Amino acid sequence: MKNVGQQLDLFAGILLTDEQEQMIIEYKERCAKNALYYKNQNERLEQLLLGAGFIKDVNFVNNFQIKTETRNVSLGSDYRNNRFEVEVTHEVIEGDLRLKGFSFYNGNLDQKEFSIGLDKDKVQCSAIQDQYRYIKPSTMLDKLVQHNTKQVANYEFYVQKNALKLEIINKYKALYPNATVEMKQEWSKYSGSFDVLEIKFKSGSYIQFQLNTYQNKEVFYKKYDAELENMSVEELLNKFSNQ
């Protein structure tokens, strides 16, 4: 015989109090309300983007949906000494709307999806914006196009530069098979780090070139004469006098 204020869950075979039954009802109502809110937000965001010139499945994807699932949830609280776990069937949301774009990193150009936020009639996407603020959807489209164009250009520059590297390395390896031909990093306070090609000989002497990807050739950068550096002042004077 069950206690007063308890009900038998015929499906789960457990006893639930009236308070617990009410908490389950309220939880399901909150889930449904939450799902409806995000559904409306998602639809509003999509309409804003379409109205600004975005093309679905080209500039953004939207796989938002509401599903019904059965999950184990914990309701109540330890403070009120009424916490309990129960299996509840309720509405859940899955997926969202994301911008489509490219990302160039570590020599690879990958297709990416970027989260986008909505505030009233403005949107925000930190992945493609210079600063964190909400802007007009039409401005966001411009920034998305600019971002993707820049990522593709960076990738193409990388491909061109590496093709030039390989071509020049092979050229000097063939010309000077006894020398060490390799790429190195140099640094300038004006331009930061940059690549140089070094042809180093057994004497320790070397020549370095910078790569000019616009003219597709190498440009002289630096030279070091090990024999000259090891000469005494007198030897240098004699050498210069004979030039």
Side-chain angles (χ1 to χ4, degrees):
M1 182 175 181
K2 65 189 177 84
N3 296 330
V4 176
Q6 290 185 320
Q7 298 180 23
L8 179 64
D9 187 325
L10 297 178
F11 297 98
I14 59 174
L15 292 174
L16 298 173
T17 66
D18 292 336
E19 179 188 32
Q20 290 171 333
E21 289 281 3
Q22 184 60 34
M23 281 192 280
I24 292 173
I25 292 172
E26 292 174 356
Y27 175 77
K28 294 174 72 172
E29 288 176 347
R30 287 196 303 273
C31 290
K33 184 178 180 180
N34 181 69
L36 180 60
Y37 170 80
Y38 283 106
K39 176 177 180 290
N40 291 336
Q41 286 289 95
N42 180 270
E43 291 176 348
R44 185 161 173 266
L45 175 57
E46 179 171 307
Q47 290 305 310
L48 279 173
L49 296 185
L50 292 173
F54 284 78
I55 301 174
K56 189 172 184 178
D57 296 326
V58 174
N59 305 122
F60 71 91
V61 293
N62 190 359
N63 62 351
F64 178 89
Q65 62 176 325
I66 297 176
K67 300 169 61 179
T68 300
E69 291 187 356
T70 300
R71 298 177 177 177
N72 285 321
V73 299
S74 178
L75 302 177
S77 69
D78 294 328
Y79 175 76
R80 297 177 184 275
N81 197 31
N82 64 354
R83 183 178 295 281
F84 71 105
E85 291 189 359
V86 65
E87 191 176 78
V88 181
T89 299
H90 59 89
E91 290 185 345
V92 297
I93 61 173
E94 184 179 273
D96 58 3
L97 188 153
R98 299 172 306 283
L99 300 183
K100 292 185 67 175
F102 294 106
S103 176
F104 171 70
Y105 177 73
N106 200 26
N108 295 311
L109 183 68
D110 298 317
Q111 287 192 328
K112 294 287 186 178
E113 294 178 358
F114 310 119
S115 297
I116 180 171
L118 172 65
D119 182 22
K120 297 179 181 177
D121 61 345
K122 294 186 176 182
V123 292
Q124 187 274 331
C125 177
S126 57
I128 63 172
Q129 287 179 252
D130 298 329
Q131 54 185 329
Y132 186 93
R133 67 187 183 93
Y134 285 84
I135 57 179
K136 294 179 179 179
S138 57
T139 305
M140 180 63 75
L141 179 58
D142 291 338
K143 287 189 174 293
L144 178 62
V145 172
Q146 292 168 10
H147 168 85
N148 290 336
T149 300
K150 181 179 179 180
Q151 298 302 305
V152 172
N154 288 343
Y155 172 71
E156 291 175 347
F157 178 79
Y158 172 84
V159 171
Q160 180 186 5
K161 187 175 181 180
N162 277 274
L164 179 59
K165 281 183 188 179
L166 185 60
E167 178 185 339
I168 296 175
I169 286 173
N170 291 336
K171 168 186 171 181
Y172 284 101
K173 278 185 174 181
L175 289 172
Y176 308 103
N178 295 324
T180 300
V181 183
E182 61 183 353
M183 299 302 303
K184 289 197 168 183
Q185 285 278 311
E186 287 286 310
W187 187 86
S188 164
K189 65 179 181 180
Y190 301 107
S191 58
S193 63
F194 57 93
D195 291 327
V196 295
L197 175 72
E198 181 179 276
I199 302 99
K200 189 171 186 178
F201 300 89
K202 291 181 179 180
S203 64
S205 301
Y206 62 79
I207 297 285
Q208 290 183 339
F209 295 97
Q210 284 184 271
L211 304 181
N212 186 327
T213 52
Y214 297 103
Q215 297 181 353
N216 205 40
K217 67 178 183 178
E218 70 273 31
V219 179
F220 173 76
Y221 172 64
K222 188 192 295 184
K223 63 182 178 179
Y224 174 79
D225 188 330
E227 182 179 340
L228 197 65
E229 289 295 322
N230 291 326
M231 284 183 177
S232 65
V233 174
E234 184 178 351
E235 288 173 324
L236 283 171
L237 288 170
N238 291 330
K239 179 178 178 65
F240 294 157
S241 70
N242 294 322
Q243 290 180 346

